[in-house]
Amino acid sequence: MWVILWTDALLYLLVGVALLGVWQVRRSPHLLENWCRVVRNPLGMAASVVLGVYGVIGLADSVHVRSAAAEGQVVSMLDVLLTPLRESTETSYSAPFATHGFTKVSVTHDDGTVSRAYPRLTHGGSHLERPQERGRDILVRALKALALAALVWLALAAAAAGRVARRRAAGWRAAVRIMAGGRDVLPWRALLVTVGVLLALLFLAVELAPRYHVLGTDKVGQDVFYQTLKSIRTGLVIGTLTTLVMLPFAIGLGVAAGYFGGLVDDVIQYVYTTLNSIPGVLLIAAAILTVQIYMANHADALGTLEDRADLRLLALCIILGITSWTGLCRLLRAETLKLREVEYVQASLGFGVSHTGIITRHVVPNLMHIVLITVALDFSGLVLAEAVLSYVNIGVDPTTNSWGNMINSSRLEMAREPVVWWNLAAAFVFMFTMVLAANVFADAVRDAFDPRRS
């Protein structure tokens, strides 16, 4: 039975809007030329491939069903694909690729004596008859995975070379030289290197993750690699749905303030100046705590545990969107003040065109490059904001997988001896990769769309 959560529906809506945007770009020569500049940027295309992988994982985690095999529990398509990782729980901590637990427990022997020892893991390395074979087994499986990844990469590279050869009416060797020299429209070197690294990581994960806890386990024995992959959806939801909430306020109020001026401009400036004067963290904390109290008092009316966690995530997106539109609003107001004085806008007023027609036909389309650049730059900041808010316990629900919750749970782990470092390291690496890719892609979009850089 299919289950559609609120955040799922809004993500589907965003995908639909993105597809509509692609259709619109193909019909607009000006927009198509700008996006072609992004495509020709090697770092931008490499970052887009990485973000695409994150997006696929996030969308796979947004297709939910109520599983009869799991006693009516709501699971996603990603949960189904990662069933070996989801079900391979241990009793407590275990280090990456370990075959024994991280802490000693009391073990009762056959003769009745009790001793302290590191217990053998239930799932991690359970296929090994002797734990001493772990190093050789990991090496053999890693080489096998890398060999398969290399074969797939060579097949993709050959397909790309064939495409270039057909388009250029050249031979295979000439096509390879064109790709290696960076003389084609697409930056093939950056694309193939990025795809090669991702394929290697994918095949290594497929080969090793079902047999070992490649990133260890947490306090309750859950696989950290599984939690990290599940946290991708939360980061994407925060970064995208917050934008969906923010844009109507920023565009509507910014354009109205700049175009109409006078009392409208004064009121809107007063609103966002007052909002900016309130410390953002305190405002978000107060709103989140209010939502928590309401949800606690009306738990029966809010459905299952999954529904309540999803509503809290959606509430966080709405609160972040309402408190983060002021910066873009100021930029759009300033740009609209200039646009309303240009000749074609004044001519439209002279010919009796309505204000609505002028705003929709002449003002808003000329502001979209600012909107696009700002959205791309703000995405990484919103992902980091979720981590900070969850770290101080005012973020997403504790039952929701997120990098912020993983970092929050690592506070005591980093203070113990020996240090449990892998939970924090896994969240940091995955979050750092997404934020870095988003920033690099945002730079490519800014270079392509900013008129001052043309």
Side-chain angles (χ1 to χ4, degrees), residues 3 28 51 67-68 81 86 113 118-119 134-136 139 184 199 201 207 241 251 269 281 283 293 332 364 379 426 432:
V3 176
S28 173
L51 290 176
S67 174
L81 295 175
R86 179 165 58 97
T113 59
Y118 296 103
R134 180 187 60 173
R136 179 178 178 276
L139 178 61
D184 194 54
L199 283 174
L201 294 175
E207 183 66 26
L241 296 191
I251 296 176
Q269 285 192 75
V281 175
L283 184 61
I293 293 173
L332 296 181
V364 173
F379 175 84
F432 172 79

Side-chain angles (χ1 to χ4, degrees), residues 281-282 284-293 312 316 319 384-400 402-412:
V281 175
L282 294 180
I284 294 171
I288 287 292
L289 292 175
T290 303
V291 171
Q292 291 180 13
I293 293 173
R312 179 167 171 176
L316 179 61
I319 293 167
L384 293 174
E386 182 276 324
V388 173
L389 293 174
S390 296
Y391 179 76
V392 295
N393 291 320
I394 57 173
V396 299
D397 192 84
T399 61
T400 302
S402 76
W403 293 319
N405 282 338
M406 293 178 66
I407 295 173
N408 184 28
S409 65
S410 302
R411 288 188 293 181
L412 296 178

Side-chain angles (χ1 to χ4, degrees), residues 131-353:
Q132 294 79 5
E133 300 174 351
R134 180 187 60 173
R136 179 178 178 276
D137 181 70
I138 293 175
L139 178 61
V140 171
R141 293 185 181 278
L143 292 176
K144 176 184 174 183
L146 293 176
L148 291 175
L151 290 176
V152 175
W153 183 86
L154 288 174
L156 293 176
R163 182 178 182 275
V164 173
R166 288 192 300 271
R167 192 176 69 248
R168 295 292 190 95
W172 281 85
R173 292 184 179 180
V176 171
R177 287 195 296 270
I178 291 172
M179 294 169 61
R183 299 193 301 271
D184 194 54
V185 176
L186 292 175
W188 288 109
R189 287 182 299 182
L191 284 174
L192 290 176
V193 169
T194 306
V195 171
V197 173
L198 292 175
L199 283 174
L201 294 175
L202 172 64
F203 278 86
L204 285 171
V206 171
E207 183 66 26
L208 295 175
R211 298 169 179 86
Y212 297 94
H213 299 292
V214 294
L215 295 179
T217 57
D218 62 3
K219 184 177 182 179
V220 297
Q222 290 185 336
D223 190 271
V224 173
F225 184 47
Y226 169 74
Q227 294 182 52
T228 309
L229 292 177
K230 289 283 291 181
S231 300
I232 291 175
R233 178 183 182 271
T234 303
L236 290 176
V237 167
I238 293 291
T240 55
L241 296 191
T242 301
T243 302
L244 189 66
V245 176
M246 174 187 69
L247 287 182
F249 290 97
I251 296 176
L253 296 178
V255 172
Y259 182 82
F260 294 106
L263 180 61
V264 175
D265 188 18
D266 292 339
V267 171
I268 293 176
Q269 285 192 75
Y270 177 79
V271 169
Y272 66 61
T273 302
T274 303
L275 192 60
N276 278 338
S277 66
I278 305 173
V281 175
L282 294 180
L283 184 61
I284 294 171
I288 287 292
L289 292 175
T290 303
V291 171
Q292 291 180 13
I293 293 173
Y294 175 82
M295 295 179 67
N297 294 334
H298 302 82
D300 296 336
L302 297 176
T304 63
L305 181 64
E306 292 84 1
D307 294 329
R308 292 195 293 272
D310 184 71
L311 286 175
R312 179 167 171 176
L313 176 59
L314 180 60
L316 179 61
C317 295
I318 294 174
I319 293 167
L320 286 174
I322 292 176
T323 57
S324 60
W325 58 269
T326 55
L328 179 57
C329 180
R330 283 180 170 178
L331 293 175
L332 296 181
R333 172 187 173 274
E335 189 69 16
T336 305
L337 286 172
K338 294 188 297 182
L339 289 175
R340 73 177 185 178
E341 302 298 333
V342 298
E343 290 82 358
Y344 57 84
V345 173
Q346 295 298 318
S348 299
L349 285 172
F351 282 111
V353 180

Side-chain angles (χ1 to χ4, degrees), residues 16-33 35 360-361 365 368 449:
V17 171
L19 294 176
L20 183 62
V22 171
W23 176 75
Q24 182 64 30
V25 166
R26 297 189 63 178
R27 296 179 63 229
S28 173
H30 174 67
L31 292 176
L32 187 60
E33 174 60 28
W35 279 109
T360 55
R361 295 177 186 175
M368 294 314 294
F449 282 83

